[in-house]
Amino acid sequence: MIESLVSQLPEIYQPIYGYPALSSKVSRPCFDRLEKISDIYIALRSLLGRQVRVLDLGCAQGFFSLKLAEWGAIVHGIDYLDKNIEVCQALAQENPALSATFEQGRIEEVIDRIESDQYDMVLGLSVFHHIVQEKGQSFVKNMIDKAAVHVGVLVVELALREEPLYWAAAQPENPRWLLESVAFVHEMARHETHLAAIPRPLFVASNRFWLLMDSAEEFSKWSEDPHHLAVGAHKKSRRYFWGQRYILKQLQFNHEFGERNKAEYLKEIRIKELLPNVSKLVKYGCSEDEGWLISEKIPGRLLLDLIRDGAKFDTRSVILGVLSQLASLERDGFYHDDVRTWNVIVEKNGLAHLIDCGSISEKPEDCVWPRNIFFSFIIFVYEISKGIVEHPDPLRSMAISPYGLPEPYKTWIKSFWNRPMAEWSFGKMHDSLNKMPLHGYREAPLETAEELWARAIEEAIEKQKVFASYIRDKNRKEIDDLNLMTSRAMQAHSVEINLLKTSFEKLEQSLSRHIQEVAIAEKQLEFSNANYFRAENKISELEHQLAREREISFQNANQVSHGAEVAICHTSSEKDVYEHEKKINELTQNSHHWWLRACELEKERNALLNSWSWKLTSPLRKVAKFLIAPGSSLRSSINYLLFHSIEILSKPIAYAMPFILRRPWVVNRVNKWLFKYPPLYRQLVDVARRGGVLPGAGTYSPPKVIAIASANGDDENMSSRAHGIYLELKAAVEKKKRGK
């Protein structure tokens, strides 16, 4: 039964589950993708702690569905082709222990009725590009977004625009765009297909889980920015995911910030190797386009968030905790170039942890102004002691001197202020602050001109910064208002825009169909012309053979003197003549059939060539033809020159033709070569007829249906040449009869 159903398939796309003998001519072996899907399935099953419910979109012959069911999944497969579903259902009946069901239907309709938590995983392997070609990119993007909202994990294989197939032009420039709205997206691998050597990407995507190699965790929140002050700082080249135990950081390498992201990725790995006690990095990996870092999640909150919320914390304890870690790094010859409130996590017990190991290096310099690591740390102390963290755009706070700090931090920093910078160190700063008493300080007035000048400069710069921030915020508000107005205007005209977009998509699809129809019609016309010319050539050969038989018949008639011999020769000749006439009749009928078919196809082709869609796309086709197949364009140019050369030299060629036709062996060789090039043969026949070498004048015309006259019939439907041969044969037969 399975063998019979498989034999009716238009294509054995996947291996037939449980039938390796039927899978010898499979289009795609599928085991490479199955290995990656297996990793996702095992990680998800371990995370959920139960059976995984799977929806297989475009299940084909059910290979992936049945394999997942074999591993314990509950699977439902969907495919549009009824023959595929018949095979799947028959295989499911042969394996009743597997929890697999199948249904015929369209993918978009199934996703439209999908419910929340109905499935844990959805497979969509090389199916969405057909819907993109039919209904557009936005339609498919919205469809995938809806599936991601209701389903735990998506595993999708997406076709590429670079593939040399008819639907390729409809695909997005970057296939990841279709998954842009999904929180976690990871390209697992790329695999070649049976259609092209260009490998297609296989993605795993989810709004609930991250799945990397053998790691999987549910995340509670995610963001493209690590904190609220870093709005758009990384231009959407990074994503952060917060799980219960770990934090995942994804970095895009194929981005304008790609080099910076790759450098930070490599720095974190290096710190993990050099300072394992400092780094919380537990797993990492990368591909050509992205890198990922999984770190232990430290319990607590960002210091920045504590300050924003006005929460109480021990300022001195936080400063000492950060200094202790900076001093430890300093002893090992390393420095942190981004000591900020958003890179410090404070536990409930007040213990502070400095994070972001990608900012650790051997270079004692801050990542931005004021560059000096100690000055930068003073600004950090100012922010947390004052409880004010300003936006770092365009610069951080200018409070570098100790004169604006509250006690005891003012006295503490002043003790270093007049020392040479070479004597400064985080270790000394930690020890100095740790020894200072908590209380007993009184606010002393500024005494020296240097102190007064430094404080005045800082106050002036701070006021200028406030004004610059006001101007920046005002400009941003105006931009936001303008964007809001634009958005409202676009919404007001969304119906017209969507209608126009739909019209363009329909026009594009119509043009694509017309181009395909023209290509098919041209192929059919070429095939019909080839059959027609082969039949006409066969007729010509038989006519030559008839002429030779006639000569033999005349020679026999002159040589045979006895009546019996004449009768035998006469009977044999008549029989041969009849057989050849019968063959001529059959071939002529066949030739006429193909000529009629060629006329129909030529009408269809002319209608398509005269359509507006064909004329509008003419420049595009010419450019594409030259770019895609320069060899074909060269052949077309040569054919063009050859055609016009024959037309120009038609008269000399017509004069030379009788000389060639009088020599049968030359004719046979020339015809044998010309049969390979029907258009050239047709043009030469046309030249011969216009020159009077062959019967009929003007352009090449179809042959008439020849009805060979019987003894009692007429010969009105014969061509002039066939009629002449017939009369000669008839005269020869009459002569033989008289001789008898």
Side-chain angles (χ1 to χ4, degrees):
M1 178 182 178
I2 298 296
E3 291 84 350
S4 175
L5 292 174
V6 171
S7 65
Q8 299 175 26
L9 292 172
E11 178 188 23
I12 305 177
Y13 181 68
Q14 298 174 344
I16 306 301
Y17 180 82
Y19 287 86
L22 297 178
S23 307
S24 59
K25 297 183 179 179
V26 66
S27 297
R28 293 192 71 180
C30 299
F31 292 100
D32 49 359
R33 292 178 292 167
L34 182 65
E35 181 181 356
K36 297 298 180 182
I37 294 170
S38 171
D39 293 340
I40 298 300
Y41 170 78
I42 292 171
L44 184 60
R45 184 181 61 185
S46 176
L47 190 63
L48 297 176
R50 58 170 172 80
Q51 287 179 301
V52 179
R53 300 162 298 178
V54 180
L55 174 65
D56 188 359
L57 301 173
C59 62
Q61 287 89 51
F63 175 76
F64 291 105
S65 297
L66 295 168
K67 273 293 183 183
L68 287 167
E70 179 186 311
W71 298 338
I74 303 171
V75 187
H76 185 61
I78 303 291
D79 200 89
Y80 182 70
L81 186 62
D82 55 350
K83 296 185 184 299
N84 281 339
I85 295 300
E86 290 173 2
V87 171
C88 293
Q89 290 174 341
L91 291 170
Q93 290 175 3
E94 284 193 357
N95 298 273
L98 304 183
S99 182
T101 57
F102 298 93
E103 171 191 355
Q104 182 185 358
R106 291 189 65 89
I107 291 172
E108 54 267 43
E109 294 173 357
V110 173
I111 291 181
D112 190 55
R113 65 172 187 263
I114 202 170
E115 298 178 359
S116 293
D117 295 325
Q118 184 178 0
Y119 298 101
D120 302 307
M121 184 166 74
V122 168
L123 296 183
L125 306 178
S126 289
V127 292
F128 291 116
H129 57 277
H130 296 296
I131 308 176
V132 170
Q133 196 268 336
E134 181 181 353
K135 297 189 176 181
Q137 299 176 14
S138 297
F139 180 88
V140 173
K141 186 176 187 296
N142 294 334
M143 187 172 65
I144 292 176
D145 291 347
K146 182 175 182 179
V149 168
H150 295 296
V151 179
V153 175
L154 304 179
V155 179
V156 296
E157 184 182 45
L158 300 177
L160 299 177
R161 191 183 183 92
E162 294 79 14
E163 296 183 40
L165 296 157
Y166 69 92
W167 38 255
Q171 307 309 308
E173 292 287 344
N174 186 348
R176 192 183 281 264
W177 179 84
L178 295 174
L179 304 167
E180 186 180 41
S181 301
V182 186
F184 172 77
V185 179
H186 168 58
E187 182 180 324
M188 295 186 287
R190 295 202 174 202
H191 303 104
E192 292 185 359
T193 70
H194 61 302
L195 299 175
I198 300 173
R200 290 180 184 171
L202 181 66
F203 294 98
V204 57
S206 176
N207 282 329
R208 292 176 54 191
F209 310 99
W210 78 61
L211 300 103
L212 292 163
M213 298 181 293
D214 57 346
S215 298
E217 184 168 353
E218 186 172 5
F219 52 85
S220 57
K221 66 174 182 176
W222 74 279
S223 174
E224 291 179 338
D225 299 304
H227 54 86
H228 82 278
L229 289 181
V231 180
H234 302 297
K235 300 287 185 69
K236 297 185 177 182
S237 67
R238 300 183 183 183
R239 289 193 177 187
Y240 300 82
F241 302 87
W242 286 268
Q244 185 177 0
R245 297 177 300 164
Y246 302 104
I247 296 175
L248 167 67
K249 178 162 65 173
Q250 268 188 311
L251 306 99
Q252 295 298 319
F253 297 157
N254 57 344
H255 189 275
E256 60 178 304
F257 283 4
E259 291 301 320
R260 189 170 75 178
N261 288 341
K262 187 176 293 186
E264 183 166 329
Y265 168 82
L266 295 174
K267 282 172 67 176
E268 288 221 30
I269 296 173
R270 184 167 177 267
I271 294 301
K272 166 68 177 176
E273 296 172 350
L274 296 175
L275 304 171
N277 296 328
V278 174
S279 175
K280 299 295 182 181
L281 187 65
V282 293
K283 289 183 181 180
Y284 56 88
C286 71
S287 64
E288 184 179 348
D289 295 333
E290 65 177 85
W292 59 91
L293 302 159
I294 300 176
S295 305
E296 290 182 12
K297 183 179 179 181
I298 301 173
R301 298 182 64 193
L302 282 181
L303 179 57
L304 174 65
D305 295 336
L306 292 175
I307 294 173
R308 285 183 63 211
D309 297 342
K312 292 185 178 181
F313 58 90
D314 189 339
T315 303
R316 182 188 177 99
S317 176
V318 169
I319 294 174
L320 284 171
V322 172
L323 273 173
S324 175
Q325 295 168 68
L326 291 174
S328 177
L329 289 172
E330 190 177 51
R331 285 192 296 271
D332 293 328
F334 292 92
Y335 304 89
H336 197 295
D337 67 7
D338 196 17
V339 180
R340 308 289 190 270
T341 55
W342 53 79
N343 281 332
V344 176
I345 291 179
V346 181
E347 295 188 43
K348 289 183 179 180
N349 59 8
L351 186 62
H353 299 273
L354 188 60
I355 61 174
D356 191 9
C357 291
S359 297
I360 298 175
S361 69
E362 295 94 334
K363 191 175 182 180
E365 185 178 285
D366 197 82
C367 59
V368 295
W369 180 92
R371 296 298 179 185
N372 183 284
I373 53 176
F374 301 110
F375 288 171
S376 178
F377 183 76
I378 293 173
I379 296 174
F380 171 77
V381 173
Y382 177 85
E383 290 174 338
I384 62 176
S385 62
K386 289 285 190 177
I388 300 173
V389 181
E390 297 179 353
H391 198 286
D393 180 23
L395 292 175
R396 298 173 67 191
S397 171
M398 307 296 176
I400 295 176
S401 72
Y403 308 117
L405 293 172
E407 294 291 359
Y409 308 111
K410 178 179 178 180
T411 302
W412 169 52
I413 296 298
K414 282 182 68 176
S415 66
F416 286 90
W417 198 249
N418 295 321
R419 295 185 189 180
M421 190 61 70
E423 297 181 8
W424 288 42
S425 72
F426 289 115
K428 291 179 180 179
M429 294 177 77
H430 175 270
D431 294 341
S432 174
L433 179 60
N434 196 35
K435 294 176 181 178
M436 293 186 69
L438 296 176
H439 307 288
Y441 300 94
R442 64 183 182 85
E443 192 70 26
L446 300 179
E447 298 176 352
T448 66
E450 179 186 352
E451 294 175 348
L452 292 170
W453 174 82
R455 187 60 187 154
I457 290 296
E458 286 181 356
E459 289 177 354
I461 294 175
E462 288 296 328
K463 289 181 180 180
Q464 291 294 325
K465 189 172 185 295
V466 170
F467 179 72
S469 298
Y470 166 76
I471 297 298
R472 180 198 62 206
D473 294 340
K474 181 180 178 182
N475 290 337
R476 285 180 178 174
K477 186 177 183 304
E478 291 177 353
I479 292 172
D480 291 341
D481 292 342
L482 181 61
N483 289 336
L484 180 61
M485 290 175 59
T486 304
S487 176
R488 288 175 178 173
M490 290 180 66
Q491 290 177 3
H493 298 285
S494 61
V495 176
E496 291 82 356
I497 293 172
N498 289 333
L499 288 174
L500 183 61
K501 183 179 179 181
T502 303
S503 299
F504 276 116
E505 289 177 351
K506 288 182 178 179
L507 176 61
E508 184 179 5
Q509 293 171 10
S510 176
L511 290 175
S512 178
R513 282 197 303 270
H514 281 317
I515 291 172
Q516 293 175 28
E517 290 171 359
V518 169
I520 293 171
E522 286 181 338
K523 288 182 179 179
Q524 291 178 344
L525 181 60
E526 182 179 351
F527 177 74
S528 299
N529 286 336
N531 285 336
Y532 173 75
F533 288 121
R534 280 197 295 270
E536 187 178 69
N537 293 333
K538 188 65 177 178
I539 291 173
S540 178
E541 289 180 3
L542 287 174
E543 286 178 347
H544 286 298
Q545 191 173 351
L546 276 173
R548 290 196 297 272
E549 292 289 342
R550 183 185 62 193
E551 292 176 2
I552 293 170
S553 176
F554 289 154
Q555 292 174 4
N556 289 337
N558 293 329
Q559 292 175 0
V560 177
S561 57
H562 300 287
E565 293 177 355
V566 172
I568 292 171
C569 181
H570 168 69
T571 304
S572 175
S573 298
E574 282 189 335
K575 185 177 180 180
D576 291 341
V577 169
Y578 175 75
E579 290 295 332
H580 289 307
E581 288 177 345
K582 185 178 179 181
K583 288 183 180 178
I584 290 175
N585 187 34
E586 291 175 354
L587 290 170
T588 304
Q589 295 286 353
N590 187 34
S591 173
H592 185 67
H593 164 75
W594 285 112
W595 178 80
L596 291 175
R597 179 60 179 155
C599 288
E600 293 175 2
L601 291 173
E602 191 169 12
K603 288 180 181 179
E604 295 178 8
R605 178 175 176 272
N606 289 337
L608 289 170
L609 292 176
N610 291 327
S611 65
W612 277 106
S613 60
W614 182 260
K615 294 176 181 177
L616 288 172
T617 58
S618 177
L620 295 176
R621 287 195 312 278
K622 290 179 180 178
V623 173
K625 184 176 180 181
F626 180 78
L627 293 176
I628 295 173
S632 176
S633 302
L634 182 61
R635 287 196 300 273
S636 299
S637 302
I638 294 173
N639 291 338
Y640 177 83
L641 293 173
L642 185 60
F643 175 83
H644 284 277
S645 298
I646 292 174
E647 289 299 314
I648 294 171
L649 301 173
S650 59
K651 289 186 178 181
I653 292 172
Y655 291 150
M657 281 184 178
F659 175 78
I660 296 173
L661 293 175
R662 286 197 295 270
R663 290 159 176 77
W665 64 275
V666 177
V667 172
N668 290 335
R669 289 191 177 182
V670 172
N671 283 339
K672 186 176 181 180
W673 180 76
L674 287 175
F675 291 164
K676 299 178 182 178
Y677 309 99
L680 180 60
Y681 178 82
R682 179 174 55 186
Q683 188 182 6
L684 291 174
V685 169
D686 188 42
V687 169
R689 289 186 172 170
R690 292 201 307 266
V693 179
L694 295 178
T699 58
Y700 185 69
S701 59
K704 295 182 179 180
V705 178
I706 301 175
I708 302 299
S710 63
N712 298 321
D714 57 57
D715 55 359
E716 293 179 355
N717 293 324
M718 287 187 181
S719 66
S720 58
R721 187 176 180 187
H723 182 65
I725 294 171
Y726 171 72
L727 291 178
E728 291 179 1
L729 289 171
K730 188 174 181 181
V733 172
E734 291 295 332
K735 185 176 180 180
K736 291 178 183 178
K737 287 181 179 180
R738 287 196 300 273
K740 183 179 178 181

